[in-house]
Amino acid sequence: MNRSQAIEMVNDHLRDGVLTSDNTSFASVNRSKSVWWINISTRKFKSELHILLAKNPGLIWLRIEANTFPCLENVFRIRLDKDAVDLEIASGGSQYMCDIKSGGVGYDFRPHIKYEWS
């Protein structure tokens, strides 16, 4: 599944075009490590943000309200060269759905799961 297919899947579920390429980030499970690795521009966190995480099979849709994190650098590792939040979300194990990137605080994304397809 790619980003366009994932956005289409969620929008079909909603019967609406809420998700766009501007407000949605996408990741597949990394082949060498059991994580969803993704960089998201810090500016995207100022508006409602959707994160789509592809599983095999399935998809997880996260919805993060605007300004949920008023001080991103206190929660996540920031890549200064890209002005982006650098995430590694565990795709299994005891830290499932938690950011395990060095420099972060282990934020748990489970409360942001809007819908999950198997």
Side-chain angles (χ1 to χ4, degrees):
M1 174 178 301
N2 64 34
R3 179 181 171 165
S4 297
Q5 293 167 325
I7 289 173
E8 183 178 340
M9 184 175 176
V10 175
N11 282 338
D12 285 350
H13 172 77
L14 295 172
R15 294 179 168 66
D16 196 344
V18 172
L19 275 66
T20 66
S21 58
D22 289 335
N23 68 5
T24 306
S25 293
F26 173 83
S28 295
V29 176
N30 187 293
R31 292 178 189 199
S32 63
K33 189 175 181 182
S34 187
V35 297
W36 290 285
W37 178 63
I38 188 168
N39 289 299
I40 304 172
S41 171
T42 58
R43 71 170 174 78
K44 286 191 173 189
F45 286 86
K46 294 178 180 167
S47 304
E48 184 175 87
L49 170 64
H50 303 275
I51 302 173
L52 302 178
L53 304 173
K55 303 187 311 179
N56 190 12
L59 181 72
I60 299 172
W61 168 29
L62 304 175
R63 188 178 91 206
I64 301 178
E65 298 293 331
N67 300 309
T68 296
F69 308 103
C71 198
L72 289 169
E73 60 273 5
N74 289 342
V75 182
F76 305 112
R77 179 179 184 268
I78 307 295
R79 284 194 57 170
L80 298 177
D81 62 328
K82 292 186 173 187
D83 191 31
V85 172
D86 190 16
L87 297 173
E88 282 187 15
I89 301 172
S91 62
S94 63
Q95 293 178 305
Y96 179 70
M97 293 302 298
C98 293
D99 177 26
I100 59 170
K101 186 72 176 183
S102 177
V105 298
Y107 187 81
D108 185 353
F109 282 93
R110 283 178 289 192
H112 301 286
I113 296 174
K114 186 71 176 163
Y115 202 83
E116 184 169 352
W117 291 266
S118 297

